[in-house]
Amino acid sequence: MTQLTVAPAQTSAQTSTPERSAVPAQAPAARAATPGGRTARTRRYLMCPPTHFDVVYSINPWMDPGKPVDGALARLQWEGLLRAFQALGHRVELIEPLPGYPDMVFAANGATVIGGKVLSARFRHAERAAEGPAYLEWFRARGYETREAVHVNEGEGDYLAAGRYLLAGTGFRTDVRSHREAERFFGLPVAGLRLVDPRFYHLDTALAVLDDELIMYYPGAFSRESQGVLRVLYPDAVIATEADAEAFGLNAVSDGRHVLMPPAATHLMDELRERGFEPIGVELSELLKSGGSAKCCTLELRGGPR
């Protein structure tokens, strides 16, 4: 794999650690903002109803079993996200939740799907271990090409398809060795990114893909080396503030024009409007008690059986 090393004042292609990204030393040119010129593309998503959602253990800084969860409100909020996708013309499929697995509602963690190929999730924490096989069985039953992961990875929580690259998080959940596994299976160059702030334990809490060439992210969530990689690959990225990130504004879903995200990330929503996107606030306050929002609830089905 070609590696990218980023120095403070310049960049050069050479062999480096996995964190510093397996990507060519080449990046898309900066683009001028084109307000109103964004194009939405119809997507297919997999979601899991929050039938058993609750906070009964703590595996990230946002989870506090001592705080009550309103299950009925969580369901209403989740249904609001579902209706928002449907109103935009996107197709949503559902997986049956397993009793005893309250975080299965976070479908993004269940697998990674690119080009109709499915890499299963292998969860780091025992509390979520059964979710990976459950999602994998859903895909196998529908005829997808699947691979059962060897190394720990938490699906689209840490793998984000971004045009010519697969952005891959590590540091808290996903094993860096899984990056090579994903690269070989999907045939995409992997850009490894190290997370360093435990509040942003998955890549999708610190970075969102807006279209094939544009992302938004919070620099403080990443190591200095990974910040350098992101500056090279995405010189015109939308930069989130710490307040945006704490509001889970980066746990967003974009169809290329519409961006579904928590309404509390007001600064980030203004930035997106200036870039020609249409942010849509979706309130998921109950699910935030477990450290997840719109993207966590949404696994994109890129290709494969219908």
Side-chain angles (χ1 to χ4, degrees):
M1 292 188 295
T2 303
Q3 303 282 337
L4 182 67
T5 299
V6 180
Q10 61 183 3
T11 62
S12 61
Q14 65 180 45
T15 301
S16 66
T17 62
E19 174 194 351
R20 297 188 182 180
S21 180
V23 296
Q26 202 171 13
R31 298 175 299 149
T34 55
R38 303 294 176 181
T39 302
R41 180 169 60 82
T42 302
R43 311 293 177 115
R44 294 171 57 221
Y45 298 126
L46 178 62
M47 297 179 68
C48 180
T51 307
H52 309 293
F53 176 71
D54 201 350
V55 179
V56 295
Y57 50 78
S58 180
I59 57 174
N60 70 55
W62 306 97
M63 302 178 79
D64 182 354
K67 292 184 178 179
V69 171
D70 187 333
L73 179 56
R75 178 77 187 210
L76 287 173
Q77 292 178 341
W78 177 89
E79 288 174 349
L81 176 62
L82 172 62
R83 288 194 301 271
F85 285 139
Q86 293 171 333
L88 293 171
H90 304 305
R91 178 180 174 183
V92 180
E93 299 184 43
L94 302 178
I95 183 173
E96 187 70 22
L98 294 176
Y101 289 89
D103 281 343
M104 194 168 169
V105 63
F106 299 125
N109 304 153
T112 305
V113 186
I114 301 174
K117 301 170 70 174
V118 180
L119 178 64
S120 77
R122 182 179 291 275
F123 286 88
R124 180 166 297 280
H125 294 288
E127 290 88 344
R128 301 193 66 183
E131 295 178 38
Y135 276 95
L136 183 60
E137 178 54 33
W138 189 93
F139 285 106
R140 282 178 172 166
R142 286 155 182 79
Y144 282 81
E145 179 184 350
T146 63
R147 174 184 174 87
E148 189 169 359
V150 174
H151 301 292
V152 170
N153 83 81
E154 300 204 350
E156 282 199 353
D158 275 325
Y159 284 129
L160 297 177
R164 73 190 83 178
Y165 304 123
L166 179 60
L167 305 182
T170 190
F172 296 105
R173 298 292 184 86
T174 293
D175 189 322
V176 70
R177 292 175 296 177
S178 75
H179 294 182
R180 179 68 66 89
E181 183 178 15
E183 182 177 68
R184 288 175 172 171
F185 182 58
F186 292 121
L188 283 175
V190 165
L193 302 168
R194 181 168 294 278
L195 298 161
V196 295
D197 187 327
R199 294 174 298 173
F200 312 113
Y201 57 93
H202 274 153
L203 184 62
D204 71 356
T205 67
L207 183 153
V209 176
L210 297 170
D211 62 28
D212 285 349
E213 295 185 358
L214 186 64
I215 67 168
M216 58 182 182
Y217 70 100
Y218 169 54
F222 297 93
S223 69
R224 186 173 68 174
E225 291 84 0
S226 294
Q227 290 179 39
V229 169
L230 290 170
R231 285 194 298 270
V232 169
L233 295 182
Y234 303 99
D236 61 344
V238 178
I239 302 301
T241 65
E242 183 175 12
D244 291 328
E246 287 186 328
F248 268 64
L250 293 162
N251 197 243
V253 181
S254 172
D255 64 12
R257 178 179 178 181
H258 310 99
V259 184
L260 282 70
M261 59 190 292
T266 54
H267 167 267
L268 197 53
M269 295 180 89
D270 289 342
E271 290 290 314
L272 289 170
R273 290 187 188 97
E274 289 186 8
R275 300 290 191 103
F277 292 94
E278 296 182 24
I280 299 173
V282 181
E283 185 59 72
L284 293 166
S285 58
E286 289 304 298
L287 295 171
L288 277 171
K289 293 177 180 178
S290 196
S293 190
K295 179 63 186 79
C296 284
C297 293
T298 311
L299 175 60
E300 185 167 351
L301 306 177
R302 300 177 183 85
R306 292 179 178 270

